[in-house]
Amino acid sequence: KADIFKQTLLALHQGLGKLDLNELMRKTIHGMHDGIGLNRVVFFMLTPHKDKLTSRYMVGSDNDPMFSRFEIELDTPHLFTRLMEKQVSLWMNDENRGKFWHLMPDATKALIKTNAFFAMSIFVHDKPMGLFYADRRSQDCQLDELAYKQFRQMCNFAAKGLANLAK
């Protein structure tokens, strides 16, 4: 896994300015899935009206048809509308669940069926573009500090790649 993670970071770094959107996102989500060991990884694109996040790139949801249609409405204030205010990351875990879980949309809670995940909003030239979401699906496979650090690294590389595409 460590090798896949390093190879993916290298590929993203070397691909800056060369990869198209699909290649960039596929490499990123597969790097998170295979290189970090995150079971489900989603990149949501912000819709043109900025009223919802729709899943655009996804890995790990093959056996869950509901999850593969994952959307997050942004019409009322909640955790994800806050994340879309600036590029920021969150690791929902035991320490901060009391502070953040009540801000989660009920539909999202019901869909993800886990109470631990990583999320990071992606901005390009100070404009919100989308959001990465990742989890390990089962409560038994705990997320950890190293995985969170690697998740943020990959998100940051993806954001750089997107900024290059938006020139």
Side-chain angles (χ1 to χ4, degrees), residues 26-114:
R26 267 199 303 274
K27 277 189 192 320
T28 304
I29 66 168
H30 284 285
M32 289 177 180
H33 184 263
D34 304 331
I36 304 174
L38 299 168
N39 297 86
R40 298 186 296 193
V41 180
V42 184
F43 180 71
F44 293 95
M45 295 284 286
L46 189 60
T47 56
H49 297 297
K50 301 189 179 352
D51 58 345
K52 74 169 88 158
L53 289 163
T54 57
S55 55
R56 177 85 185 271
Y57 298 94
M58 184 179 291
V59 67
S61 64
D62 306 344
N63 305 330
D64 191 345
M66 290 306 291
F67 191 88
S68 60
R69 290 193 291 278
F70 198 168
E71 287 188 343
I72 301 172
E73 298 286 339
L74 299 174
D75 50 355
T76 58
H78 54 67
L79 183 70
F80 296 102
T81 58
R82 285 200 187 168
L83 286 174
M84 295 311 295
E85 289 168 7
K86 60 180 191 252
Q87 186 160 311
V88 63
S89 65
L90 171 72
W91 171 11
M92 179 74 76
N93 58 30
D94 294 339
E95 281 90 68
N96 63 19
R97 198 167 293 112
K99 185 175 167 188
F100 294 120
W101 190 250
H102 69 282
L103 298 172
M104 286 276 291
D106 290 333
T108 304
K109 287 181 192 174
L111 185 69
I112 63 175
K113 298 182 183 84
T114 181

